[in-house]
Amino acid sequence: MSKNQSLSDIAVILSIGLSVSALAQPSLGRMSDRFGRKKMIVLLSIVLGGAYVCFPFASGFASLITLTSLNILCGFGVWLISDVLATALTEPISIGLQFGTYRTFSSIGWICGAFAGGFLAQFLGIHSIFFVAAICYLLSLIFLSHVKEPERRIGRFPILSLPACIAEHQFLGKTTVFFFVTFCAFISSSAIEYYLSVYLREPPISAPYTMVAAAYSIMELPNIA
């Protein structure tokens, strides 16, 4: 909105970015199988930090599409591979408990980030968020360097691409049903996450950035549990 893009323009920018990410996620997951989770997280985090730094200087529709696509692609990629790594680091007897605890820290980070972002935007300008976010991602890599990645188990079968998996009938049965459950659940989730801020900022509410930040933080509170 600060770049004077209309709601329809924003919808196109987000949809293209999400489409690029959706097509690439299986390949990113496959690359993490081959080259290691930590290496992929580091690579994607550096690209993501670079995209954040470039956002304040973007001025046109095409540049916003490019940066948004990089943002969503790398952001979702880090999220995906981090989840896989977190699962690999848990003990099999209590995966649910340990992964839930990992998610609690994710939620606390989200809440703190939403509050901090709102205050930064309110008092230092909306562009300040991108520079601080880039620094936070680079700091996270320092902590990641202390994580010991588990040895990968050698499987009896080659690592397949998504089309090959489908051809081998590995995505049938209960897994396919779960894919459609996730698809349906994220329709409403995506609409709210991306457009609630626009709704709150526009008249008649015209909420300040701090109130928008509070709304997103409150939304995330239940996830701590």
Side-chain angles (χ1 to χ4, degrees):
M1 299 293 286
S2 67
K3 300 291 183 180
N4 299 317
Q5 301 295 317
S6 67
L7 282 175
S8 58
D9 289 339
I10 293 173
V12 171
I13 291 170
L14 285 171
S15 297
I16 291 175
L18 288 163
S19 298
V20 169
S21 176
L23 293 171
Q25 291 305 312
S27 296
L28 292 179
R30 185 167 182 256
M31 289 172 67
S32 76
D33 289 335
R34 288 189 176 276
F35 305 117
R37 318 296 182 201
K38 286 179 62 174
K39 289 180 181 178
M40 286 299 298
I41 293 173
V42 169
L43 174 62
L44 293 173
S45 295
I46 291 173
V47 175
L48 186 57
Y52 281 163
V53 170
C54 292
F55 259 111
F57 306 104
S59 57
F61 187 70
S63 60
L64 287 170
I65 286 178
T66 302
L67 290 175
T68 300
S69 297
L70 279 175
N71 174 32
I72 297 176
L73 170 67
C74 297
F76 279 17
V78 169
W79 184 15
L80 162 73
I81 299 170
S82 296
D83 283 355
V84 175
L85 178 58
T87 304
L89 289 168
T90 59
E91 295 296 330
I93 196 170
S94 58
I95 288 178
L97 172 62
Q98 293 177 75
F99 193 80
T101 305
Y102 157 74
R103 276 296 190 199
T104 294
F105 281 89
S106 300
S107 295
I108 294 172
W110 175 285
I111 291 168
C112 294
F115 264 118
F119 280 92
L120 284 170
Q122 190 70 36
F123 299 109
L124 296 180
I126 189 73
H127 290 163
S128 64
I129 297 175
F130 295 98
F131 298 111
V132 174
I135 293 171
C136 287
Y137 257 105
L138 294 178
L139 286 175
S140 73
L141 298 182
I142 296 176
F143 291 104
L144 180 65
S145 66
H146 296 285
V147 175
K148 183 178 180 181
E149 185 172 354
E151 292 184 9
R152 283 176 289 168
R153 290 172 294 180
I154 305 300
R156 294 180 298 161
F157 306 103
I159 298 171
L160 301 176
S161 64
L162 179 60
C165 285
I166 295 173
E168 292 288 334
H169 305 293
Q170 293 186 23
F171 281 7
L172 299 179
K174 295 180 180 179
T175 308
T176 303
V177 175
F178 187 67
F179 288 166
F180 283 103
V181 170
T182 304
F183 164 75
C184 293
F186 269 81
I187 290 176
S188 57
S189 176
S190 176
I192 294 297
E193 179 174 347
Y194 287 113
Y195 294 104
L196 177 63
S197 57
V198 177
Y199 171 72
L200 292 174
R201 287 285 295 168
E202 288 191 330
I205 300 177
S206 302
Y209 286 119
T210 48
M211 185 179 291
V212 177
Y216 276 89
S217 295
I218 291 169
M219 283 170 55
E220 188 67 18
L221 278 174
N223 284 337
I224 292 178

